[in-house]
Amino acid sequence: MQLIDGKKVSGTIKERVAARVQELQSKTGKVPGLAVVLVGEDPASAIYVRNKNKICEQMGFQSFTHNLPADTGESQLLALVDELNRDPAVDGILVQLPLPQQINSQRILEAIDPAKDVDGFHPVNVGHLAGGHKTLVPCTPAGIIEMLDYYKIDIEGKHAVILGRSNIVGKPMAFLLLQRNATVTICHSRTRDLKTMARSADILVAAIGRPGFVTADMVQKGAVVIDVGINRVDGKLVGDVAFDAVAKLAAYITPVPGGVGPMTIAMLMQNTVTAHERIHNL
Ligand code: GUN
């Protein structure tokens, strides 16, 4: 069994991105700018947002943070998005999800300029991805592809089974794996005989948000197991995979923490550079 080290892989991506930021600064005098918007005080979201800012600054980006109160109205948030769309210093806009219930998230995501949509959640970018065209791709699935490539894990012709059909992970993951010529199955809460499905996977991606859901009897010997879950159990972070038992069978497996998590932020930085380059025709 080989452990997939997300810290190591994300480190190489961050180095590449930081070097590119330096190069852009010396050539153009400008650096990429990322705006992060947090509405309310969800503790997990607040931690993510703080980490994003910290890494932005470490890597030489301009970082803009907007903390809005939990009772912010949809029209106020739309006004802020509009302001960020028009701000030439801002190349990337990330509105942290989930949003409070009085705000229609889809309406907000659709208001973001697709050229600045570093989450890849705007319908225009979702459409480009579905069409197999180059675009801003959701960070977590993009990071998973980077990890597979780093470890030279073949995707072509393999059966990839994704557990979870979210717009943030499951669906975009399916399109990226399909682009790389995998045969893709998406399973979800209504899938019949999920165990048999999972057992037929060469590459198994677990993104359901249930601690320890994937047990050893659901995994084929020699499978590649990617754990997207971040669940807090008794103050400890655990994934969707019962790690100790599954690690005995898997050829490759990602740990939690230290697997997929660090990749997501590295890809966000990569997407912000890409957005900056496209906006400025670099
Ligand atoms: N909340 C959990 N994951 C994400 C993400 O990738 N992007 C945004 N905007 N919010 C999230």
Side-chain angles (χ1 to χ4, degrees):
M1 184 274 295
Q2 161 102 50
L3 204 62
I4 297 182
D5 184 346
K7 269 207 163 131
K8 187 164 86 182
V9 187
S10 67
T12 66
I13 290 168
K14 285 196 275 186
E15 270 173 32
R16 188 177 79 202
V17 169
R20 180 64 179 146
V21 172
Q22 289 274 308
E23 186 185 26
L24 287 165
Q25 175 151 43
S26 58
K27 277 190 181 154
T28 68
K30 287 190 189 129
V31 295
L34 175 64
V36 175
V37 181
L38 174 63
V39 184
E41 278 146 35
D42 176 61
S45 291
I47 294 170
Y48 289 137
V49 169
R50 239 181 289 136
N51 281 338
K52 283 167 194 165
N53 287 330
K54 198 174 77 191
I55 291 175
C56 260
E57 276 157 24
Q58 278 170 6
M59 298 184 61
F61 286 64
Q62 255 191 298
S63 159
F64 308 91
T65 310
H66 296 268
N67 287 302
L68 304 181
D71 62 356
T72 299
E74 189 173 289
S75 58
Q76 283 169 282
L77 185 54
L78 284 170
L80 173 59
V81 168
D82 185 49
E83 188 188 307
L84 298 171
N85 282 343
R86 285 184 284 111
D87 185 340
V90 172
D91 299 296
I93 302 170
L94 182 143
V95 179
Q96 185 66 34
L97 302 175
L99 288 166
Q101 57 170 7
Q102 74 275 15
I103 298 175
N104 179 330
S105 303
Q106 192 59 22
R107 203 168 288 161
I108 302 301
L109 298 180
E110 290 180 17
I112 295 171
D113 179 346
K116 297 188 176 187
D117 170 35
V118 285
D119 261 328
F121 295 162
H122 190 284
V124 164
N125 289 321
V126 175
H128 285 314
L129 175 62
H133 309 298
K134 263 200 149 52
T135 188
L136 292 167
V137 172
C139 302
T140 299
I144 291 170
I145 297 288
E146 290 279 346
M147 290 202 292
L148 296 175
D149 285 346
Y150 184 93
Y151 285 89
K152 301 195 165 38
I153 295 166
D154 266 343
I155 302 174
E156 181 158 323
K158 295 292 169 65
H159 186 204
V161 176
I162 301 161
L163 308 180
R165 55 176 153 180
S166 72
N167 292 334
I168 297 182
V169 182
K171 284 187 225 170
M173 185 78 260
F175 285 122
L176 288 176
L177 288 164
L178 196 54
Q179 250 174 41
R180 300 292 292 272
N181 299 317
T183 301
V184 179
T185 302
I186 304 183
C187 298
H188 48 78
S189 54
R190 311 291 166 85
T191 297
R192 261 187 265 161
D193 202 3
L194 191 126
K195 183 171 136 184
T196 304
M197 293 284 184
R199 273 189 79 88
S200 73
D202 301 306
I203 300 171
L204 184 63
V205 180
I208 39 197
R210 292 221 242 151
F213 181 86
V214 176
T215 44
D217 58 336
M218 295 168 70
V219 178
Q220 171 181 199
K221 193 168 166 26
V224 176
V225 179
I226 307 292
D227 190 350
V228 187
I230 300 182
N231 310 291
R232 204 170 282 276
V233 176
D234 302 330
K236 240 184 86 185
L237 279 190
V238 299
D240 289 347
V241 175
F243 183 87
D244 292 341
V246 172
K248 293 197 176 94
L249 290 163
Y252 293 88
I253 187 166
T254 63
V256 175
V260 174
M263 293 303 297
T264 298
I265 250 178
M267 298 316 291
L268 175 66
M269 301 295 130
Q270 171 68 66
N271 276 353
T272 305
V273 171
T274 303
H276 177 87
E277 290 172 340
R278 292 210 191 139
I279 289 168
H280 297 277
N281 285 318
L282 295 165

